[in-house]
Amino acid sequence: MKALKIKIKGLTASFRYPLFISGYQPTLTVPPLSTVLGLISAAAGEVIRRVNFGLGYNFSYQARAVDLETAYEIGEKLSFKTNVWRREFLFEPELTLYLTDLNLQSLFKKPVYQLLLGRSQDLAWVAGIDEIELAKVDKATLKGCLVPVGVQGAVGPLVSLPVIFDGGYPRKRLKTEKFIIIDRECQVRDEKNLYLDPDEDYGVYLYDPEYFC
């Protein structure tokens, strides 16, 4: 299967753990699908309302650390107070996107809005775009991705994460699913969604367009 392979790099990244509202803020070690769709939307300059392409990604980073962050807590009548949180972040993150719609290449050659890997200060840039051939397999070693619950052999933290939001304000979740975070090497089996990139060490779990409906 032909696919776009897009490498996106940054200095920092932080992906909010949905269970933590205030206080210490740990980061997910892999971006949720909704964050990746938000990044593609930023490149397109409009909210992606219909995902009509296959989407996979692998994510890596060099280190994890904790920083102090000022939070502005909004109250009634536009009053606010400040607080200081400890926020975990990932250093030198790299996201490799796999998209089956080759026409999306133009979006990443000249993104409309700034690309982010989490918060507004987690600026990112496109480090490379290639057209590749993904090979279908039924067994692969994965690392740095999310797979749906039920994928045979997948081991990692179980989390419930948003898949897609609407484009309104305030945003509404249109779909939430349970995922397994694969942060360490893990050999899995799947007859439908597993592929190999011949130039990488790990396989690719490719989400079908139907998954986002």
Side-chain angles (χ1 to χ4, degrees), residues 114-163:
Q114 178 65 55
L115 304 182
L116 304 173
L117 289 172
R119 305 162 298 172
S120 58
Q121 61 264 48
D122 295 320
L123 304 179
W125 61 90
V126 177
I129 303 176
D130 294 297
E131 288 187 19
I132 64 164
E133 189 77 29
L134 288 174
K136 181 76 182 68
V137 294
D138 58 10
K139 182 174 67 177
T141 299
L142 300 182
K143 183 181 178 183
C145 64
L146 301 174
V147 297
V149 172
V151 173
Q152 187 178 352
V155 177
L158 175 66
V159 291
S160 181
L161 295 172
V163 175

Coordinates of all heavy atoms in Angstrom, one line a residue, residues 114-163:
Q114 N 0.6 26.9 12.8 CA 1.8 26.2 13.4 C 1.5 24.8 13.9 O 0.4 24.6 14.5 CB 2.2 27.1 14.6 CG 3.4 26.5 15.4 CD 4.7 26.5 14.5 OE1 5.1 27.4 14.0 NE2 5.2 25.3 14.5
L115 N 2.4 23.9 13.7 CA 2.2 22.5 14.2 C 2.6 22.5 15.6 O 3.6 23.1 16.0 CB 3.0 21.6 13.3 CG 2.7 21.6 11.8 CD1 3.6 20.6 11.1 CD2 1.3 21.4 11.5
L116 N 1.9 21.7 16.4 CA 2.2 21.6 17.8 C 2.2 20.1 18.2 O 1.4 19.3 17.7 CB 1.1 22.3 18.7 CG 0.9 23.8 18.4 CD1 -0.3 24.3 19.1 CD2 2.1 24.6 18.7
L117 N 3.0 19.8 19.2 CA 2.9 18.4 19.8 C 2.5 18.6 21.3 O 3.2 18.3 22.2 CB 4.3 17.8 19.7 CG 4.8 17.4 18.3 CD1 6.3 17.0 18.3 CD2 3.9 16.3 17.8
G118 N 1.2 19.0 21.4 CA 0.6 19.1 22.7 C 0.2 20.5 23.0 O -0.7 21.0 22.4
R119 N 0.9 21.2 23.9 CA 0.5 22.5 24.3 C 1.0 23.6 23.3 O 1.7 23.3 22.4 CB 1.2 22.9 25.7 CG 0.9 21.9 26.8 CD 1.9 22.0 27.9 NE 3.3 21.7 27.4 CZ 4.4 21.9 28.1 NH1 4.3 22.4 29.3 NH2 5.6 21.6 27.6
S120 N 0.5 24.8 23.5 CA 0.8 25.9 22.5 C 2.3 26.2 22.4 O 2.8 26.7 21.4 CB 0.0 27.1 22.8 OG 0.3 27.6 24.1
Q121 N 3.0 25.9 23.5 CA 4.5 26.1 23.5 C 5.3 25.0 22.9 O 6.5 25.1 22.7 CB 5.0 26.5 24.9 CG 4.8 25.4 25.9 CD 3.6 25.6 26.7 OE1 2.5 25.8 26.2 NE2 3.7 25.6 28.0
D122 N 4.6 23.9 22.6 CA 5.3 22.7 22.1 C 5.4 22.7 20.6 O 4.8 21.9 19.9 CB 4.6 21.4 22.6 CG 4.7 21.2 24.1 OD1 5.8 21.5 24.7 OD2 3.7 20.8 24.7
L123 N 6.2 23.7 20.1 CA 6.2 23.9 18.6 C 6.9 22.8 17.9 O 7.9 22.2 18.5 CB 7.0 25.2 18.3 CG 6.4 26.5 19.0 CD1 7.3 27.7 18.7 CD2 5.0 26.7 18.6
A124 N 6.5 22.5 16.7 CA 7.0 21.4 16.0 C 7.2 21.8 14.5 O 6.7 22.8 14.1 CB 6.1 20.2 16.1
W125 N 8.0 21.0 13.8 CA 8.3 21.3 12.4 C 8.4 20.0 11.6 O 8.6 18.9 12.1 CB 9.6 22.1 12.2 CG 10.8 21.4 12.7 CD1 11.6 20.6 12.0 CD2 11.3 21.4 14.0 NE1 12.6 20.1 12.8 CE2 12.5 20.6 14.0 CE3 11.0 22.1 15.2 CZ2 13.3 20.4 15.2 CZ3 11.8 21.9 16.4 CH2 12.9 21.0 16.3
V126 N 8.1 20.1 10.3 CA 8.2 19.0 9.4 C 9.7 18.7 9.1 O 10.4 19.6 8.5 CB 7.4 19.2 8.1 CG1 7.5 18.0 7.2 CG2 5.9 19.4 8.5
A127 N 10.2 17.5 9.4 CA 11.6 17.2 9.1 C 11.8 16.4 7.9 O 12.9 16.1 7.4 CB 12.1 16.4 10.3
G128 N 10.7 15.9 7.3 CA 10.8 15.1 6.1 C 9.5 14.5 5.6 O 8.6 14.2 6.4
I129 N 9.4 14.4 4.3 CA 8.1 13.8 3.7 C 8.6 12.9 2.6 O 9.4 13.3 1.7 CB 7.2 14.9 3.0 CG1 6.8 16.0 4.1 CG2 6.0 14.3 2.4 CD1 6.0 17.1 3.5
D130 N 8.1 11.7 2.6 CA 8.4 10.7 1.6 C 7.2 9.9 1.2 O 6.2 9.8 2.0 CB 9.5 9.7 2.1 CG 10.8 10.4 2.4 OD1 11.4 10.8 1.4 OD2 11.3 10.4 3.5
E131 N 7.2 9.4 0.0 CA 6.2 8.4 -0.4 C 6.8 7.0 -0.3 O 7.9 6.8 -0.8 CB 5.7 8.6 -1.8 CG 4.8 9.9 -2.0 CD 4.3 10.0 -3.4 OE1 4.2 9.0 -4.1 OE2 3.8 11.1 -3.8
I132 N 6.2 6.1 0.4 CA 6.7 4.8 0.7 C 5.7 3.7 0.3 O 4.5 4.0 0.1 CB 7.2 4.6 2.1 CG1 6.0 4.7 3.1 CG2 8.2 5.7 2.5 CD1 6.3 4.2 4.5
E133 N 6.2 2.5 0.4 CA 5.3 1.3 0.2 C 5.2 0.6 1.5 O 6.2 0.1 2.0 CB 5.8 0.4 -0.9 CG 4.9 -0.7 -1.3 CD 3.8 -0.2 -2.2 OE1 4.0 0.8 -3.0 OE2 2.7 -0.8 -2.2
L134 N 4.0 0.5 2.1 CA 3.8 -0.2 3.4 C 3.5 -1.7 3.0 O 2.7 -1.9 2.1 CB 2.7 0.4 4.2 CG 3.0 1.7 4.9 CD1 1.7 2.2 5.5 CD2 4.1 1.6 5.9
A135 N 4.1 -2.6 3.7 CA 3.9 -4.0 3.4 C 2.9 -4.6 4.5 O 3.1 -4.4 5.7 CB 5.2 -4.8 3.4
K136 N 1.9 -5.3 4.0 CA 0.9 -5.9 4.9 C 1.5 -7.1 5.6 O 2.1 -7.9 4.9 CB -0.4 -6.3 4.1 CG -1.5 -6.9 4.9 CD -2.2 -5.8 5.7 CE -3.2 -6.4 6.6 NZ -2.7 -7.2 7.7
V137 N 1.3 -7.2 6.9 CA 1.8 -8.3 7.7 C 0.7 -8.6 8.7 O -0.2 -7.9 8.9 CB 3.1 -8.0 8.4 CG1 4.2 -7.8 7.4 CG2 3.0 -6.8 9.3
D138 N 0.8 -9.8 9.3 CA -0.1 -10.1 10.4 C 0.5 -10.2 11.7 O -0.1 -10.6 12.7 CB -0.9 -11.4 10.0 CG 0.1 -12.6 9.8 OD1 1.3 -12.5 10.1 OD2 -0.4 -13.7 9.4
K139 N 1.9 -10.0 11.7 CA 2.6 -9.9 13.0 C 3.7 -8.9 12.9 O 4.4 -8.8 11.9 CB 3.2 -11.3 13.3 CG 4.0 -11.4 14.6 CD 4.5 -12.8 14.8 CE 5.5 -13.3 13.8 NZ 6.0 -14.6 14.1
A140 N 3.9 -8.1 14.0 CA 4.9 -7.0 13.9 C 5.3 -6.6 15.3 O 4.5 -6.8 16.3 CB 4.4 -5.8 13.2
T141 N 6.5 -6.1 15.5 CA 6.9 -5.5 16.7 C 6.6 -4.0 16.7 O 7.0 -3.3 15.8 CB 8.4 -5.7 16.9 OG1 8.7 -7.1 17.0 CG2 8.8 -5.0 18.2
L142 N 5.8 -3.5 17.7 CA 5.4 -2.1 17.8 C 6.0 -1.5 18.9 O 6.4 -2.1 19.9 CB 3.8 -2.0 17.9 CG 3.0 -2.6 16.8 CD1 1.5 -2.4 17.2 CD2 3.3 -2.0 15.5
K143 N 6.2 -0.1 18.8 CA 6.7 0.7 19.9 C 6.3 2.1 19.6 O 6.5 2.6 18.5 CB 8.2 0.6 20.1 CG 8.7 1.4 21.3 CD 10.2 1.3 21.4 CE 10.7 2.1 22.6 NZ 12.2 2.1 22.7
G144 N 5.8 2.8 20.6 CA 5.5 4.3 20.5 C 4.2 4.5 19.7 O 4.1 5.4 18.9
C145 N 3.1 3.7 20.0 CA 1.9 3.9 19.4 C 0.7 3.5 20.3 O 1.0 3.0 21.4 CB 1.8 3.2 18.0 SG 1.9 1.4 18.2
L146 N -0.5 3.7 19.8 CA -1.7 3.2 20.5 C -2.3 2.2 19.7 O -2.4 2.3 18.5 CB -2.7 4.4 20.7 CG -2.3 5.6 21.5 CD1 -3.4 6.6 21.4 CD2 -2.0 5.3 22.9
V147 N -2.9 1.1 20.3 CA -3.7 0.2 19.6 C -5.0 0.0 20.4 O -5.0 0.1 21.6 CB -3.0 -1.2 19.5 CG1 -1.7 -1.1 18.6 CG2 -2.7 -1.8 20.8
P148 N -6.1 -0.3 19.7 CA -7.3 -0.5 20.4 C -7.3 -1.8 21.3 O -6.5 -2.7 21.0 CB -8.3 -0.8 19.2 CG -7.7 -0.2 18.0 CD -6.2 -0.4 18.2
V149 N -8.1 -1.8 22.3 CA -8.2 -3.0 23.1 C -8.6 -4.1 22.3 O -9.5 -4.0 21.5 CB -9.2 -2.7 24.3 CG1 -9.4 -4.0 25.1 CG2 -8.7 -1.6 25.2
G150 N -7.9 -5.3 22.5 CA -8.3 -6.5 21.8 C -7.3 -6.9 20.8 O -7.3 -8.1 20.3
V151 N -6.3 -6.1 20.5 CA -5.2 -6.5 19.6 C -4.3 -7.5 20.3 O -3.8 -7.3 21.4 CB -4.3 -5.3 19.2 CG1 -3.1 -5.8 18.4 CG2 -5.1 -4.3 18.4
Q152 N -4.2 -8.7 19.7 CA -3.5 -9.8 20.4 C -2.0 -9.5 20.7 O -1.3 -9.1 19.8 CB -3.6 -11.1 19.5 CG -3.1 -12.3 20.1 CD -3.3 -13.5 19.2 OE1 -3.9 -13.4 18.1 NE2 -2.7 -14.7 19.6
G153 N -1.6 -9.7 21.9 CA -0.2 -9.5 22.3 C 0.1 -8.2 22.8 O 1.2 -7.9 23.3
A154 N -0.8 -7.2 22.7 CA -0.5 -5.8 23.1 C -0.5 -5.7 24.6 O -1.4 -6.2 25.3 CB -1.6 -4.9 22.5
V155 N 0.6 -5.1 25.1 CA 0.8 -5.0 26.6 C 1.2 -3.6 26.9 O 2.1 -3.0 26.3 CB 1.9 -5.9 27.1 CG1 2.1 -5.7 28.6 CG2 1.5 -7.4 26.8
G156 N 0.5 -2.9 27.8 CA 0.8 -1.6 28.3 C -0.4 -1.0 29.0 O -1.4 -1.6 29.2
P157 N -0.2 0.3 29.5 CA -1.3 0.9 30.2 C -2.6 1.0 29.4 O -2.5 1.3 28.2 CB -0.7 2.3 30.5 CG 0.8 2.1 30.4 CD 1.0 1.1 29.4
L158 N -3.7 0.8 30.1 CA -5.0 0.9 29.4 C -5.6 2.3 29.7 O -5.7 2.6 30.9 CB -5.9 -0.2 29.9 CG -7.4 -0.2 29.5 CD1 -7.5 -0.4 28.0 CD2 -8.2 -1.2 30.2
V159 N -6.0 3.0 28.7 CA -6.5 4.4 28.9 C -7.7 4.6 28.0 O -7.8 4.0 26.9 CB -5.4 5.5 28.6 CG1 -4.3 5.5 29.7 CG2 -4.9 5.3 27.2
S160 N -8.6 5.4 28.5 CA -9.7 5.9 27.7 C -9.4 7.3 27.1 O -9.1 8.2 27.9 CB -11.0 5.9 28.5 OG -12.1 6.3 27.8
L161 N -9.4 7.4 25.8 CA -8.9 8.6 25.2 C -9.9 9.1 24.1 O -10.5 8.3 23.4 CB -7.5 8.5 24.6 CG -6.4 8.2 25.5 CD1 -5.1 7.8 24.8 CD2 -6.1 9.4 26.4
P162 N -9.9 10.4 23.9 CA -10.8 10.9 22.8 C -10.2 10.5 21.4 O -9.0 10.4 21.2 CB -10.7 12.4 23.0 CG -9.5 12.7 23.7 CD -9.3 11.5 24.6
V163 N -11.1 10.3 20.5 CA -10.7 9.9 19.1 C -10.9 11.1 18.2 O -10.0 11.5 17.4 CB -11.5 8.7 18.6 CG1 -11.2 8.5 17.1 CG2 -11.2 7.5 19.4

